[in-house]
Amino acid sequence: MSQQVAEYSAEQIDNANKVALTMEAMIGRLSYDESFATHLANNPREALGATGMLMEKEAVEVLMATDPERFDKLCEALFDLVDSDFLHMMTNPSCG
């Protein structure tokens, strides 16, 4: 893993860690906030934007490359709490 980490700047690694913390916060919030869970299910980008939980694609990719075990665990926990279409909704560009 250290060789993979060396491929990225300190800023990229920091942003990847922020993504992990954001995912942890989202998982925590989903466990107690039904309103947030509903909003997230209906309009993920808006819900995450309103809560400051938007994540940059590059930072997610760096997290996946530098700490895949952590990313997998976070995804498993997240997908235990959200609809199976969540990822699809998150990655599609919004239409007009």
Side-chain angles (χ1 to χ4, degrees):
M1 180 167 86
S2 61
Q3 184 178 7
Q4 288 177 324
V5 172
E7 296 175 16
Y8 299 100
S9 70
E11 182 180 2
Q12 288 174 306
I13 299 295
D14 185 49
N15 288 338
N17 286 326
K18 288 176 185 175
V19 164
L21 294 173
T22 298
M23 291 176 74
E24 289 169 353
M26 186 185 327
I27 292 163
R29 188 152 180 191
L30 283 167
S31 69
Y32 70 86
D33 188 342
E34 290 182 32
S35 173
F36 174 70
T38 300
H39 193 201
L40 189 65
N42 293 325
N43 192 336
R45 288 179 185 267
E46 183 179 294
L48 295 176
T51 59
M53 292 186 188
L54 286 176
M55 296 169 270
E56 293 183 24
K57 180 181 176 185
E58 181 185 348
V60 174
E61 291 170 347
V62 173
L63 176 62
M64 290 168 52
T66 59
D67 199 347
E69 289 179 27
R70 184 178 187 189
F71 180 77
D72 287 346
K73 287 179 184 178
L74 289 168
C75 286
E76 285 178 29
L78 179 61
F79 291 119
D80 284 343
L81 298 169
V82 296
D83 184 87
S84 60
D85 292 330
F86 176 75
L87 181 60
H88 184 326
M89 293 171 61
M90 284 296 303
T91 57
N92 280 337
S94 57
C95 298

